[in-house]
Amino acid sequence: MEPEFSVIIPSYRRPAELVRCLRALALQNFPRDQFEVIVADDGGGGLESVRDFAVQSFSQCVFVTQPRSGPGSARNLGASHAKGRYLAFTDDDCEPSPDWISTLAVTLRAHSDALVGGHTVNALSGNRYSAASQQLIDFLYDAFTDSGRFFTSNNFAMSRSLFASLGGFDVTFRLPAGEDRDFCSRWAANGRLIYSPAALVYHSHFLTLSGYWRQHFRYGQGAHQLLKRMGESGRPPIRVQSPGFYFRLFASPFKSAAGSPAQRLAMAILLGLSQTANVCGFAQEAINQWRRRLARSA
């Protein structure tokens, strides 16, 4: 009997994190014979010990590999080997809660045409940079409740047949930035997105100050690439946000009861830094594309 769900995990050189992810999936409150796990190794290798653990933990588990091509391509590779009616995506540095699959299943069984996104929680509460990144995502989820809504690809699920009809992820997004927003934008043009906050995933993405800058710089690069794709496909372009949007973003830490005033101020500063990095990445990608056009025309 084919499984109802295929859980797809792209992975690149994080075997210890991948084991924690698989352990969380082994604790799912969902029939073990009704979901399979597919690990898509994006050219990192070194997963032999993880493979042994996974085979012992799951009745249905597949490891596939490709040359280093980026997370979008790895997710597509995993999906191409899936047998489930539904695909659920998470990342190797994530730990889904025990009710994750069952919560997604409830929504998808009622709305099989929907892209269902869950809620992601920062599991590294002591890391201010990881906390700031998640604060930004939470703010965007609340801000874009209708037009422009998107879900991060470490916590969403959909029909396998509809995923295939959409063509999967755009593999020209080589960096982990922009491909999930592009996917959600293309899905929204033909279907609906449903937020299911009870589908929890705990994210352990350790960041330093330089790593935080690079992450949001890449997001800016991805935003420029996304703008280009949307223009080429005739989709509505990314909307420039009003000053009020950014005021609400920077004020959001002060509306929380968590943390001291100094910690809330530090969070607001980091959110500002994320937007600075984003603008710099956007500008750099614009320059890169201009240079490529000049080189082609020379």
Side-chain angles (χ1 to χ4, degrees):
M1 185 171 61
E2 302 291 359
E4 184 176 17
F5 271 82
S6 297
V7 179
I8 298 170
I9 312 165
S11 186
Y12 179 70
R13 292 185 177 176
R14 290 196 287 209
E17 291 88 342
L18 178 58
V19 167
R20 290 197 293 270
C21 178
L22 293 173
R23 283 177 177 158
L25 288 171
L27 297 175
Q28 291 295 299
N29 297 326
F30 197 78
R32 190 64 61 87
D33 63 348
Q34 283 301 302
F35 75 95
E36 65 175 347
V37 174
I38 302 175
V39 176
D41 178 8
D42 189 25
L47 298 182
E48 290 76 14
S49 61
V50 181
R51 186 192 302 266
D52 293 340
F53 169 80
V55 169
Q56 295 171 9
S57 301
F58 303 99
S59 58
Q60 302 178 78
C61 184
V62 178
F63 276 68
V64 292
T65 189
Q66 66 179 17
R68 178 70 169 151
S69 304
S73 176
R75 294 187 190 101
N76 288 348
L77 174 66
S80 71
H81 288 79
K83 299 176 181 176
R85 179 182 180 187
Y86 303 114
L87 306 178
F89 291 91
T90 191
D91 285 348
D92 58 5
D93 59 354
C94 292
E95 296 173 63
S97 65
D99 294 325
W100 182 59
I101 296 178
S102 59
T103 302
L104 293 171
V106 168
T107 305
L108 282 169
R109 288 166 185 166
H111 308 283
S112 60
D113 62 334
L115 172 62
V116 181
H119 179 59
T120 302
V121 178
N122 171 42
L124 303 177
S125 57
N127 185 306
R128 66 181 65 184
Y129 309 110
S130 301
S133 275
Q134 189 57 52
Q135 172 86 13
L136 176 60
I137 294 296
D138 291 345
F139 176 83
L140 295 175
Y141 269 35
D142 289 339
F144 299 141
T145 56
D146 187 13
S147 176
R149 159 154 276 181
F150 75 98
F151 301 129
T152 54
S153 52
N154 62 354
N155 187 1
F156 67 19
M158 76 296 293
S159 158
R160 175 164 61 98
S161 62
L162 292 181
F163 177 89
S165 68
L166 196 65
F169 289 91
D170 184 340
V171 298
T172 60
F173 288 89
R174 301 268 304 192
L175 296 172
E179 82 281 1
D180 45 8
R181 289 186 66 188
D182 172 75
F183 182 87
C184 291
S185 172
R186 287 186 285 124
W187 189 286
N190 300 286
R192 54 181 165 171
L193 284 70
I194 297 178
Y195 182 39
S196 179
L200 291 175
V201 160
Y202 297 91
H203 191 198
S204 299
H205 186 51
F206 180 84
L207 289 171
T208 61
L209 177 59
S210 60
Y212 181 80
W213 174 271
R214 286 194 302 272
Q215 179 188 60
H216 292 281
F217 187 91
R218 288 198 303 268
Y219 288 164
Q221 291 179 295
H224 191 279
Q225 293 172 23
L226 176 59
L227 181 66
K228 184 173 183 290
R229 301 291 190 284
M230 294 175 83
E232 291 170 347
S233 65
R235 283 175 281 161
I238 300 173
R239 191 175 56 197
V240 176
Q241 300 302 321
S242 67
F245 172 88
Y246 294 101
F247 175 82
R248 292 191 298 275
L249 171 63
F250 303 141
S252 62
F254 300 101
K255 296 180 179 179
S256 171
S260 67
Q263 289 171 326
R264 296 178 201 175
L265 176 60
M267 178 68 75
I269 292 172
L270 285 174
L271 290 175
L273 182 64
S274 75
Q275 298 309 291
T276 304
N278 195 283
V279 169
C280 290
F282 190 96
Q284 182 62 62
E285 186 62 23
I287 293 170
N288 290 343
Q289 292 196 15
W290 175 71
R291 287 174 174 169
R292 286 193 289 268
R293 285 196 300 270
L294 283 181
R296 287 195 298 268
S297 62

